[in-house]
Amino acid sequence: MILNTELEYKGNLFPSNITSYKKDVDVLHFSTSNNVILKLTVLRDSMLRFTYTTVGKFERDFSYAINEDASRGYNHLEINDDDEKYVVTTSKLICHIHKSDLRVSLYDAVDKTIICEDELGFHWEESYELGGDIVKMSKAAQNGESYYGLGDKPQHLNLKGRRFENWATDSYAFGKDTDPIYKAIPFYTGLHNGKSYGIFFDNTFRTYFDFCSERRNVTSFWAQGGEMNYYFIYGPKMQDVVTSYTDLTGTPELPPLWALGYHQCKWSYYPESNVKEITSKFRELQIPCDAIYLDIDYMEGFRCFTWSDEYFPNPKRMVKELADDGFKTVVIIDPGIKIDNEYSVFREGLEKDYFCKRADGPYMKGKVWPGECYFPDFTRPEVREWWAGLFKELVEEIGVKGVWNDMNEPAVMDVPGKTFPPDVRHDYDGNPCSHNKAHNIYGMQMARATYHGLKRYNYPKRPFVITRSAYSGTQRYTSTWMGDNVASWEHLQIANIQAQRLALSGFSFAGSDIGGFAEQPNGELYARWIQLGVFHPFCRTHSSGDHGDQEPWAFDEEIIDVVRKFIEIRYQLLPYLYTSFYQYSEDNVPMLKSLVLFDQDDAQTHYRTDEFIFGNQILVCPINEPNAKGRRMYIPRGEWYNFWSKNMVVGGKEMWVDADLDSMPIFVKAGAVVPRYPIQQYVGEKVIDQLNLDVYYKAGKEDSELYEDADDGYDYTKGRYSLKKFNLAGTEDKLIIRIHKRGQYITTYDTFKINLYGLPFEVKSIKVDNEYVDLKDVQFENNTLVVTKEFTNLQIKG
Ligand code: MIG
């Protein structure tokens, strides 16, 4: 099979000249004399979809990735032509389609500069093995162009100079540069000359991307089947590219707040007494923790939806006792259903014909943990419905709060390719196909069915699901982790890159196995990893357990203290993190921002990997090396306060930052208003009776947000939420904070405790809503004050 788009390759076929053109509102068809049709759909002024067929007729238009509610609509659409080309113009883009060969060039509509242009453009090769085409696209790389995205690739953040494959693969102990691994997210952004665009190649077959690796000036992508079908998304800000892609493929609903707490996991905690020992120890050592996981050994012979009588004689009681102590129970559920006629899930699946079959009729049989298994065809709506129903007892009756979907690449043991053979049939929601097409979305459809089950039976509370495999759009249903990493310093670095990369690929709710899954970290590595992990949207320690324990107390006192301290920081920042989740869910804003996403105009950011912005205003940089007392890092442009010392630094430069083992580089953007909770051992342990607002003075303006609701449930969808926007404006002798409020949720607290940092003047007077207040009345002391949460205008003067 030809795996490249090289010009010299003789099997390549190309579109010939355009012979007809047709316009149907916002869909333009360009047909060539050799039966190629380019269908160009104008979705938004900044988003065009390109689909090609080589047989004069398109497949049924169906995608698992696209979010039904994605924004559509444009302000301007104009089509002209001259001898050489058609010209499609929107308010953001100008698109040329060349009449002689169907090649496409895209320009910025405002300054007319080139954004992206076809090199060979669309071409294809006939696939004798599979039938249909191997569809290919090549684009000219622009001067100084950089590339980002592609989901979970464990490589340098900037993808330039490399080639990648997307084929969901179980990758135990993967390494730096292993490719592919668990996920297939065929979306990237290009950045050159201050402008960014994105390409989402919505094709679920095995796809490849080449960023100037095969040829220095060419970027290409291709698939082993299906149609050339991609979305072109223009910025020019990378943040707009990422939010548009995220809007296109969707975001999750808000998770329950506890899901943003700290989670503890291991393969495996059993029996019940061991689980209790672990949870009690967290409380005894006062290390906050919200969730405890049960890996495959909780089941009876690895049969999904069963419990081992021996290890867990009364799961309902145990789950309740754990819940009384603030622990939510999350259990693993794999796709393989054990072939066992005594097992009701198997019998039902068989009777109802829900399992995947080989091309000639036999069931797809594969070995996984339970032994020989059959596998539900999650690409059939009826099967997903059945699967969702299987969670009734687990969730409604036993009280499990979250489900962990593993092995859903799908992974199969002891066979070549470690997955289903290609002839396995799938329904693909009424578009029957082979595993070649369904492989990359199998895990997504499993997680989707799981999500619907959890949502149904946990209602009116919110569901929590975590998946290992994913395709674009999977973020609508579930969180994710990076799979089986290793306890090494290099993997700490990889985890950092993967979390950033996933966030800029639309999938923010992600985290690594803290400390590493395979092998065992020493205390120092574990502590450094916790420091990074508490700044990832999903925060869980997990390990295979085959090299010893990985609870905080498996290490010495000093490490326990560091771990506690950082998990406490996460719990204090929960309202900030939750707000960031709200901005992701509602406004499609990634929860982590690589520096290039934060400030693309600063060329220094284009190859940075370690530093990132957590939410919108907190800059962090993990320590990646042993025996470090600090590190050099790049501080992005602007003014930043050292989180620990509260000293201000001016960015746009590299600097050394001290960070002994009990510290790490953390900075807060000047002007930020950061909400802070008291330390709790689990979400909801305390009623919040006062909210801290840490206010970092800035000579100038900065906006911050605070989103709050009941932390669970769906009342927020009926308006019972509270969204506060803080507009901060500082001058030499004055600081003004205005609040704009929205929503009807009434917070449990009545007052803010405002902690002022970096004030360049001594406070002489305070006005709340235009009335001078006695400094005593607001308990003004050491630059802190207490004010009613109802204030809309606070003026502090020197
Ligand atoms: O073949 O369920 O990535 O998190 O602990 C190993 C046992 C299966 C792989 C997952 C890992 C999990 C483990 N699973």
Side-chain angles (χ1 to χ4, degrees):
M1 193 159 285
I2 298 302
L3 298 184
N4 62 42
T5 57
E6 277 181 57
L7 186 54
E8 302 77 38
Y9 177 64
K10 297 289 190 298
N12 280 338
L13 299 167
F14 294 86
S16 51
N17 61 310
I18 297 178
T19 50
S20 73
Y21 155 70
K22 187 177 87 190
K23 175 174 184 285
D24 185 5
V25 194
D26 50 7
V27 186
L28 319 175
H29 285 83
F30 302 91
S31 306
T32 71
S33 57
N34 64 343
N35 259 337
V36 175
I37 306 174
L38 159 59
K39 183 168 80 176
L40 197 171
T41 311
V42 180
L43 293 159
R44 298 166 64 170
D45 288 296
S46 58
M47 193 187 293
L48 307 178
R49 178 182 176 196
F50 295 85
T51 318
Y52 298 78
T53 174
T54 62
V55 296
K57 187 173 179 266
F58 286 95
E59 291 171 5
R60 187 176 149 216
D61 195 12
F62 175 80
S63 167
Y64 283 118
I66 306 299
N67 169 30
E68 289 173 357
D69 308 325
S71 321
R72 267 189 93 146
Y74 45 84
N75 294 316
H76 180 78
L77 176 61
E78 194 186 312
I79 297 128
N80 300 301
D81 74 325
D82 59 26
D83 288 350
E84 282 162 21
K85 59 189 183 294
Y86 289 94
V87 180
V88 180
T89 308
T90 71
S91 71
K92 293 273 171 61
L93 283 169
I94 299 170
C95 175
H96 292 179
I97 297 134
H98 296 277
K99 289 185 171 174
S100 63
D101 56 9
L102 207 58
R103 278 188 309 117
V104 169
S105 309
L106 290 144
Y107 303 85
D108 181 308
V110 180
D111 66 14
K112 315 284 192 266
T113 56
I114 188 88
I115 310 162
C116 182
E117 105 188 283
D118 284 357
E119 184 244 358
L120 299 178
F122 172 61
H123 55 297
W124 74 100
E125 179 193 336
E126 290 189 1
S127 171
Y128 295 107
E129 201 182 314
L130 305 170
D133 301 324
I134 294 162
V135 291
K136 311 179 184 187
M137 172 60 66
S138 69
K139 307 258 179 205
Q142 303 297 320
N143 260 343
E145 188 157 3
S146 289
Y147 303 93
Y148 308 90
L150 287 195
D152 64 348
K153 305 298 182 195
Q155 313 214 6
H156 196 287
L157 200 67
N158 191 333
L159 305 167
K160 188 170 196 168
R162 291 153 213 256
R163 175 186 283 197
F164 301 93
E165 180 181 336
N166 290 313
W167 182 257
T169 305
D170 179 5
S171 311
Y172 174 78
F174 64 89
K176 190 163 161 47
D177 298 345
T178 304
D179 187 58
I181 58 170
Y182 304 90
K183 297 173 181 69
I185 303 192
F187 163 73
Y188 74 88
T189 76
L191 169 66
H192 63 83
N193 300 305
K195 297 195 172 73
S196 176
Y197 66 90
I199 288 188
F200 171 41
F201 183 21
D202 188 10
N203 179 312
T204 61
F205 285 81
R206 195 187 291 262
T207 53
Y208 294 86
F209 286 79
D210 185 300
F211 301 101
C212 311
S213 157
E214 178 182 301
R215 285 178 289 156
R216 200 168 48 83
N217 296 320
V218 177
T219 291
S220 56
F221 49 94
W222 62 99
Q224 291 189 343
E227 289 174 340
M228 175 49 61
N229 169 34
Y230 75 91
Y231 294 78
F232 181 85
I233 305 165
Y234 186 42
K237 285 248 152 277
M238 198 186 290
Q239 291 192 19
D240 294 331
V241 175
V242 171
T243 54
S244 297
Y245 164 77
T246 309
D247 176 61
L248 182 66
T249 56
T251 56
E253 301 174 329
L254 284 168
L257 186 60
W258 66 261
L260 300 181
Y262 172 73
H263 300 199
Q264 182 71 31
C265 187
K266 179 187 168 176
W267 180 18
S268 282
Y269 290 132
Y270 70 91
E272 174 178 338
S273 57
N274 177 231
V275 175
K276 291 276 188 57
E277 222 175 277
I278 301 294
T279 54
S280 310
K281 196 80 180 172
F282 273 100
R283 297 298 182 245
E284 181 195 324
L285 294 176
Q286 293 281 286
I287 301 171
C289 184
D290 257 283
I292 184 87
Y293 284 58
L294 303 181
D295 205 326
I296 49 177
D297 301 283
Y298 80 90
M299 304 178 203
E300 186 61 56
F302 306 121
R303 288 169 188 82
C304 293
F305 307 101
T306 67
W307 291 79
S308 153
D309 271 351
E310 190 191 339
Y311 301 144
F312 297 97
N314 190 344
K316 184 174 177 175
R317 177 190 40 73
M318 177 190 75
V319 168
K320 161 122 199 346
E321 286 164 7
L322 291 171
D324 290 344
D325 200 13
F327 284 94
K328 274 57 71 174
T329 305
V330 180
V331 300
I332 198 165
I333 290 284
D334 288 355
I337 299 299
K338 187 178 176 65
I339 300 177
D340 171 2
N341 280 306
E342 309 290 295
Y343 169 38
S344 67
V345 178
F346 172 75
R347 269 203 326 267
E348 210 179 310
L350 195 69
E351 267 160 35
K352 299 194 165 148
D353 204 16
Y354 287 160
F355 296 122
C356 293
K357 287 181 187 153
R358 306 292 299 268
D360 296 328
Y363 286 105
M364 159 59 213
K365 190 194 273 184
K367 203 183 138 224
V368 262
W369 290 105
E372 305 257 276
C373 286
Y374 290 168
F375 301 83
D377 183 9
F378 296 108
T379 72
R380 237 172 95 192
E382 208 188 325
V383 176
R384 288 197 297 270
E385 185 57 29
W386 168 65
W387 186 260
L390 293 174
F391 290 95
K392 188 172 167 59
E393 191 192 338
L394 209 50
V395 178
E396 212 176 67
E397 179 57 26
I398 298 178
V400 161
K401 286 287 169 200
V403 169
W404 172 23
N405 282 166
D406 187 21
M407 304 289 277
N408 54 353
E409 290 67 33
V412 180
M413 294 165 177
D414 306 332
V415 292
K418 300 200 295 186
T419 191
F420 295 0
D423 67 281
V424 169
R425 315 300 297 167
H426 294 275
D427 179 63
Y428 212 95
D429 280 67
N431 306 276
C433 67
S434 80
H435 195 64
N436 288 310
K437 181 171 172 176
H439 176 83
N440 281 336
I441 50 83
Y442 186 85
M444 173 193 199
Q445 296 311 305
M446 179 191 185
R448 174 186 180 183
T450 301
Y451 161 78
H452 285 299
L454 268 271
K455 183 158 174 175
R456 186 181 306 160
Y457 300 116
N458 202 29
Y459 195 82
K461 300 283 192 206
R462 304 174 197 166
F464 173 71
V465 178
I466 174 164
T467 182
R468 194 169 68 174
S469 185
Y471 180 74
S472 295
T474 306
Q475 71 272 7
R476 297 198 294 275
Y477 312 114
T478 169
S479 64
T480 190
W481 88 107
M482 285 75 160
D484 299 341
N485 58 2
V486 183
S488 70
W489 288 94
E490 184 174 74
H491 264 272
L492 191 160
Q493 248 172 303
I494 293 173
N496 181 7
I497 292 175
Q498 287 183 305
Q500 293 180 49
R501 190 192 295 298
L502 279 162
L504 70 78
S505 308
F507 212 141
S508 283
F509 200 6
S512 64
D513 283 354
I514 294 174
F517 178 72
E519 300 176 25
Q520 196 183 26
N522 62 20
E524 184 189 8
L525 175 59
Y526 184 70
R528 291 304 195 187
W529 209 319
I530 278 280
Q531 292 173 353
L532 171 66
V534 299
F535 292 105
H536 285 166
F538 177 66
C539 179
R540 178 184 77 162
T541 292
H542 181 38
S543 82
S544 66
D546 48 10
H547 293 86
D549 294 336
Q550 208 157 297
E551 295 78 41
W553 52 90
F555 309 98
D556 62 31
E557 285 294 326
E558 187 197 0
I559 301 300
I560 298 177
D561 290 343
V562 176
V563 169
R564 181 189 301 106
K565 172 174 171 180
F566 277 83
I567 295 180
E568 286 177 353
I569 289 176
R570 182 178 179 94
Y571 275 74
Q572 290 177 285
L573 288 175
L574 277 175
Y576 174 87
L577 178 58
Y578 196 50
T579 299
S580 162
F581 209 114
Y582 165 81
Q583 292 164 341
Y584 169 50
S585 176
E586 194 60 26
D587 308 331
N588 308 301
V589 176
M591 295 171 70
L592 304 183
K593 294 165 191 76
S594 301
L595 293 195
V596 65
L597 193 66
F598 180 75
D599 187 5
Q600 69 188 49
D601 297 331
D602 175 5
Q604 295 293 328
T605 66
H606 297 191
Y607 280 87
R608 301 302 308 192
T609 53
D610 292 355
E611 307 84 353
F612 65 94
I613 313 286
F614 169 68
N616 290 328
Q617 293 163 319
I618 298 181
L619 165 70
V620 295
C621 186
I623 300 290
N624 285 335
E625 285 174 7
N627 305 315
K629 297 248 162 248
R631 62 166 292 161
R632 282 191 76 78
M633 65 176 280
Y634 185 70
I635 312 283
R637 299 189 297 185
E639 293 166 355
W640 299 88
Y641 285 85
N642 184 309
F643 175 79
W644 309 102
S645 69
K646 310 297 179 193
N647 290 331
M648 209 252 279
V649 298
V650 178
K653 59 174 180 270
E654 261 202 12
M655 57 182 262
W656 170 268
V657 181
D658 287 333
D660 277 331
L661 189 55
D662 65 348
S663 181
M664 83 184 277
I666 307 175
F667 293 85
V668 183
K669 198 173 176 201
V673 176
V674 180
R676 187 159 47 80
Y677 271 178
I679 293 164
Q680 303 180 81
Q681 296 310 304
Y682 55 91
V683 166
E685 185 203 23
K686 294 180 181 158
V687 174
I688 310 300
D689 55 11
Q690 185 172 63
L691 188 74
N692 273 281
L693 294 178
D694 292 340
V695 174
Y696 293 84
Y697 169 85
K698 178 180 181 178
K701 292 184 175 167
E702 174 76 12
D703 296 338
S704 309
E705 274 190 355
L706 170 61
Y707 173 86
E708 295 160 291
D709 64 17
D711 298 342
D712 204 340
Y714 289 92
D715 274 2
Y716 76 96
T717 62
K718 295 168 208 128
R720 280 191 284 284
Y721 64 89
S722 156
L723 181 65
K724 298 193 171 85
K725 296 197 194 245
F726 301 96
N727 307 130
L728 177 146
T731 61
E732 263 171 34
D733 62 352
K734 206 166 30 180
L735 181 66
I736 301 176
I737 302 170
R738 290 195 185 84
I739 304 193
H740 300 276
K741 290 182 244 185
R742 229 168 68 193
Q744 288 118 44
Y745 177 70
I746 298 167
T747 57
T748 50
Y749 56 85
D750 294 322
T751 53
F752 292 127
K753 181 171 184 193
I754 295 182
N755 308 293
L756 301 164
Y757 298 116
L759 275 194
F761 53 82
E762 197 186 310
V763 175
K764 301 225 175 73
S765 74
I766 295 177
K767 260 186 183 176
V768 177
D769 293 339
N770 279 320
E771 303 266 344
Y772 282 105
V773 292
D774 193 321
L775 294 192
K776 265 192 253 120
D777 289 344
V778 290
Q779 302 167 38
F780 186 83
E781 205 180 321
N782 300 328
N783 279 358
T784 74
L785 65 149
V786 175
V787 286
T788 161
K789 68 172 176 185
E790 305 297 345
F791 88 84
T792 58
N793 187 312
L794 176 68
Q795 277 193 41
I796 298 166
K797 272 195 174 165

